Coordinates of all heavy atoms in Angstrom, one line a residue:
W990 N -4.3 -6.2 3.1 CA -3.7 -5.9 1.8 C -4.2 -4.6 1.3 O -5.2 -4.1 1.7 CB -4.1 -7.0 0.8 CG -5.6 -7.2 0.7 CD1 -6.4 -6.6 -0.2 CD2 -6.3 -8.1 1.5 NE1 -7.7 -7.0 0.0 CE2 -7.7 -8.0 1.0 CE3 -6.1 -9.0 2.5 CZ2 -8.7 -8.7 1.6 CZ3 -7.1 -9.7 3.0 CH2 -8.4 -9.6 2.6
G991 N -3.3 -4.0 0.5 CA -3.6 -2.7 -0.1 C -2.5 -1.8 -0.1 O -1.4 -2.1 0.5
N992 N -2.7 -0.6 -0.6 CA -1.6 0.5 -0.7 C -1.6 1.3 0.6 O -2.6 2.0 0.8 CB -1.9 1.3 -1.9 CG -0.8 2.4 -2.2 OD1 0.0 2.7 -1.3 ND2 -0.8 2.9 -3.4
I993 N -0.6 1.2 1.4 CA -0.5 2.0 2.6 C -0.3 3.5 2.4 O -0.4 4.2 3.4 CB 0.6 1.4 3.6 CG1 2.0 1.5 3.0 CG2 0.2 0.0 4.0 CD1 3.1 1.2 3.9
F994 N 0.0 3.9 1.2 CA 0.3 5.3 1.0 C -0.9 6.2 0.6 O -0.7 7.4 0.3 CB 1.4 5.4 -0.1 CG 2.7 4.7 0.3 CD1 3.1 3.6 -0.3 CD2 3.5 5.2 1.3 CE1 4.2 2.9 0.0 CE2 4.6 4.5 1.7 CZ 5.0 3.4 1.0
V995 N -2.1 5.6 0.5 CA -3.3 6.3 0.1 C -4.4 6.2 1.1 O -4.2 5.4 2.1 CB -3.8 5.9 -1.3 CG1 -2.7 6.2 -2.4 CG2 -4.1 4.4 -1.3
R996 N -5.5 6.9 0.9 CA -6.6 6.7 1.8 C -7.2 5.3 1.7 O -7.1 4.6 0.6 CB -7.7 7.8 1.7 CG -8.3 7.9 0.4 CD -9.5 8.9 0.4 NE -9.2 10.2 1.1 CZ -10.1 10.9 1.6 NH1 -11.4 10.6 1.5 NH2 -9.8 12.1 2.2
D997 N -7.9 4.9 2.7 CA -8.5 3.5 2.8 C -9.4 3.2 1.6 O -9.3 2.1 1.0 CB -9.2 3.3 4.1 CG -9.5 1.9 4.4 OD1 -8.5 1.1 4.5 OD2 -10.7 1.5 4.5
S998 N -10.2 4.1 1.1 CA -11.1 3.8 0.0 C -10.4 3.7 -1.3 O -11.0 3.2 -2.3 CB -12.2 4.9 -0.1 OG -11.6 6.2 -0.2
F999 N -9.1 4.1 -1.4 CA -8.3 3.9 -2.6 C -7.3 2.8 -2.5 O -6.7 2.5 -3.5 CB -7.5 5.2 -2.9 CG -8.3 6.4 -3.2 CD1 -7.6 7.7 -3.4 CD2 -9.7 6.4 -3.3 CE1 -8.3 8.8 -3.6 CE2 -10.4 7.6 -3.6 CZ -9.7 8.8 -3.8
K1000 N -7.2 2.1 -1.4 CA -6.1 1.2 -1.1 C -6.0 0.0 -2.1 O -5.0 -0.5 -2.4 CB -6.1 0.7 0.3 CG -7.2 -0.4 0.6 CD -7.1 -0.9 2.0 CE -8.0 -2.0 2.3 NZ -7.7 -3.2 1.7
D1001 N -7.2 -0.4 -2.7 CA -7.2 -1.5 -3.6 C -7.2 -1.1 -5.1 O -7.3 -2.0 -6.0 CB -8.4 -2.4 -3.3 CG -8.4 -3.0 -1.9 OD1 -7.3 -3.4 -1.5 OD2 -9.4 -3.0 -1.3
L1002 N -7.0 0.2 -5.3 CA -7.0 0.7 -6.7 C -5.6 0.8 -7.2 O -4.6 1.1 -6.5 CB -7.7 2.1 -6.8 CG -9.1 2.1 -6.3 CD1 -9.6 3.6 -6.3 CD2 -10.0 1.3 -7.2
D1003 N -5.4 0.6 -8.5 CA -4.2 0.8 -9.2 C -3.9 2.3 -9.2 O -4.8 3.1 -9.3 CB -4.2 0.3 -10.6 CG -2.9 0.4 -11.3 OD1 -2.1 -0.5 -11.2 OD2 -2.7 1.4 -12.0
R1004 N -2.7 2.7 -9.0 CA -2.3 4.1 -8.9 C -2.7 4.9 -10.2 O -3.2 6.0 -10.1 CB -0.8 4.3 -8.7 CG -0.4 5.7 -8.3 CD 1.0 5.7 -7.7 NE 1.2 7.0 -7.1 CZ 0.9 7.4 -5.9 NH1 0.4 6.5 -5.1 NH2 1.2 8.6 -5.5
S1005 N -2.6 4.3 -11.3 CA -3.0 5.0 -12.6 C -4.5 5.2 -12.6 O -4.9 6.2 -13.2 CB -2.6 4.2 -13.8 OG -3.2 2.9 -13.8
E1006 N -5.3 4.4 -12.0 CA -6.7 4.6 -11.9 C -7.0 5.8 -11.1 O -7.9 6.6 -11.4 CB -7.4 3.3 -11.3 CG -8.9 3.3 -11.4 CD -9.5 2.1 -10.8 OE1 -8.7 1.1 -10.6 OE2 -10.7 2.0 -10.6
I1007 N -6.3 6.0 -10.0 CA -6.5 7.2 -9.2 C -6.1 8.4 -9.9 O -6.8 9.4 -10.0 CB -5.7 7.1 -7.9 CG1 -6.1 5.8 -7.0 CG2 -5.8 8.3 -7.0 CD1 -5.2 5.5 -5.9
L1008 N -4.9 8.4 -10.6 CA -4.4 9.6 -11.3 C -5.2 10.0 -12.5 O -5.3 11.1 -12.8 CB -3.0 9.3 -11.7 CG -1.9 9.2 -10.6 CD1 -0.5 9.0 -11.2 CD2 -1.9 10.5 -9.7
N1009 N -5.9 9.0 -13.1 CA -6.7 9.3 -14.3 C -8.1 9.7 -14.0 O -8.9 10.1 -14.9 CB -6.7 8.1 -15.3 CG -5.3 8.0 -15.9 OD1 -4.7 9.0 -16.2 ND2 -4.9 6.8 -16.1
D1010 N -8.5 9.7 -12.7 CA -9.9 10.1 -12.3 C -9.8 11.5 -11.7 O -9.1 11.6 -10.6 CB -10.5 9.1 -11.4 CG -11.9 9.5 -11.0 OD1 -12.1 10.4 -10.2 OD2 -12.8 8.8 -11.4
P1011 N -10.4 12.5 -12.2 CA -10.2 13.9 -11.7 C -10.7 14.0 -10.2 O -10.0 14.7 -9.5 CB -11.1 14.8 -12.6 CG -11.3 14.0 -13.9 CD -11.2 12.5 -13.5
K1012 N -11.7 13.4 -9.8 CA -12.2 13.5 -8.5 C -11.2 12.8 -7.5 O -10.9 13.4 -6.4 CB -13.6 12.8 -8.3 CG -14.7 13.7 -8.9 CD -16.1 13.1 -8.7 CE -17.1 13.9 -9.4 NZ -18.4 13.3 -9.4
M1013 N -10.8 11.6 -7.8 CA -9.9 10.9 -7.0 C -8.5 11.7 -6.9 O -7.9 11.7 -5.8 CB -9.6 9.5 -7.4 CG -10.8 8.6 -7.1 SD -10.4 6.8 -7.3 CE -10.5 6.6 -9.1
R1014 N -8.1 12.2 -8.0 CA -6.9 13.0 -8.1 C -7.0 14.2 -7.1 O -6.0 14.5 -6.4 CB -6.6 13.4 -9.5 CG -5.2 13.7 -9.8 CD -4.9 13.9 -11.2 NE -5.7 14.8 -11.9 CZ -6.5 14.5 -13.0 NH1 -6.5 13.2 -13.4 NH2 -7.3 15.4 -13.5
S1015 N -8.1 14.8 -7.1 CA -8.3 16.0 -6.3 C -8.3 15.6 -4.8 O -7.7 16.3 -4.0 CB -9.7 16.6 -6.6 OG -10.0 17.7 -5.7
V1016 N -8.9 14.5 -4.5 CA -8.8 13.9 -3.1 C -7.4 13.6 -2.7 O -6.9 14.0 -1.6 CB -9.7 12.7 -3.0 CG1 -9.5 12.0 -1.6 CG2 -11.2 13.0 -3.1
M1017 N -6.6 13.1 -3.6 CA -5.2 12.8 -3.3 C -4.4 14.0 -3.1 O -3.6 14.1 -2.2 CB -4.6 12.0 -4.5 CG -3.3 11.4 -4.1 SD -2.7 10.3 -5.4 CE -1.1 10.0 -4.8
H1018 N -4.7 15.1 -3.9 CA -4.0 16.4 -3.6 C -4.3 16.8 -2.2 O -3.4 17.2 -1.5 CB -4.6 17.5 -4.6 CG -4.1 17.4 -6.0 ND1 -4.7 18.1 -7.0 CD2 -3.0 16.8 -6.5 CE1 -4.0 17.9 -8.1 NE2 -3.0 17.1 -7.8
H1019 N -5.6 16.8 -1.8 CA -6.0 17.2 -0.5 C -5.3 16.4 0.6 O -4.7 17.0 1.5 CB -7.5 17.1 -0.4 CG -8.0 17.3 1.0 ND1 -8.2 16.2 1.9 CD2 -8.4 18.4 1.6 CE1 -8.7 16.7 3.0 NE2 -8.8 18.0 2.9
D1020 N -5.3 15.1 0.4 CA -4.7 14.2 1.5 C -3.2 14.4 1.7 O -2.7 14.2 2.8 CB -5.0 12.7 1.1 CG -6.4 12.4 1.3 OD1 -7.2 13.2 1.8 OD2 -6.8 11.2 0.9
V1021 N -2.5 14.8 0.6 CA -1.1 14.9 0.7 C -0.6 16.3 1.0 O 0.3 16.6 1.7 CB -0.4 14.4 -0.6 CG1 1.1 14.7 -0.7 CG2 -0.6 12.9 -0.8
M1022 N -1.3 17.3 0.4 CA -0.8 18.7 0.4 C -1.4 19.6 1.5 O -0.7 20.6 1.9 CB -1.0 19.4 -1.0 CG -0.4 18.6 -2.2 SD 1.3 18.4 -2.1 CE 1.9 19.8 -2.9
E1023 N -2.5 19.3 2.0 CA -3.1 20.1 3.0 C -2.5 19.8 4.4 O -1.8 18.8 4.5 CB -4.7 19.8 3.1 CG -5.5 20.3 1.9 CD -5.5 21.8 1.7 OE1 -5.4 22.5 2.7 OE2 -5.6 22.2 0.6
E1024 N -2.7 20.7 5.3 CA -2.2 20.5 6.7 C -2.8 19.2 7.2 O -4.0 18.9 7.0 CB -2.6 21.6 7.6 CG -1.8 22.9 7.4 CD -0.3 22.7 7.8 OE1 0.0 22.1 8.8 OE2 0.6 23.3 7.1
L1025 N -2.0 18.4 7.9 CA -2.5 17.1 8.4 C -3.6 17.4 9.4 O -3.4 18.3 10.4 CB -1.4 16.3 9.1 CG -1.8 14.9 9.6 CD1 -2.3 14.0 8.5 CD2 -0.7 14.3 10.4
N1026 N -4.8 16.8 9.3 CA -5.9 17.0 10.2 C -6.5 15.7 10.5 O -6.1 14.7 10.0 CB -6.9 18.1 9.7 CG -7.5 17.6 8.4 OD1 -7.8 16.5 8.2 ND2 -7.6 18.6 7.5
E1027 N -7.5 15.7 11.4 CA -8.1 14.5 11.9 C -8.8 13.8 10.7 O -8.8 12.5 10.7 CB -9.1 14.8 13.0 CG -9.5 13.6 13.8 CD -8.3 12.9 14.5 OE1 -7.3 13.6 14.9 OE2 -8.4 11.7 14.7
E1028 N -9.4 14.5 9.8 CA -10.2 13.9 8.7 C -9.2 13.1 7.8 O -9.4 12.0 7.4 CB -10.9 15.0 7.9 CG -11.8 14.4 6.8 CD -11.1 14.5 5.4 OE1 -10.2 15.4 5.2 OE2 -11.4 13.7 4.5
I1029 N -8.0 13.7 7.5 CA -7.0 13.1 6.7 C -6.5 11.8 7.4 O -6.4 10.8 6.8 CB -5.9 14.0 6.3 CG1 -6.4 15.2 5.4 CG2 -4.7 13.3 5.7 CD1 -5.4 16.3 5.1
L1030 N -6.2 11.9 8.6 CA -5.7 10.8 9.4 C -6.7 9.7 9.4 O -6.4 8.5 9.1 CB -5.5 11.2 10.9 CG -4.2 11.8 11.3 CD1 -4.3 12.3 12.7 CD2 -3.1 10.8 11.1
Q1031 N -8.0 10.0 9.7 CA -9.0 8.9 9.8 C -9.3 8.2 8.5 O -9.7 7.1 8.5 CB -10.3 9.5 10.4 CG -10.2 10.0 11.8 CD -9.9 8.9 12.8 OE1 -10.2 7.7 12.6 NE2 -9.3 9.3 14.0

């Protein structure tokens, strides 16, 4: 169970919780907008 569209450590969080936290929001920016690499995949 969890959100398949985010990183594993965020999968059980409500999306608004991620968006309202500056650190998690920054991580989400990185995961979506940077070139896909092994760290993002893993």
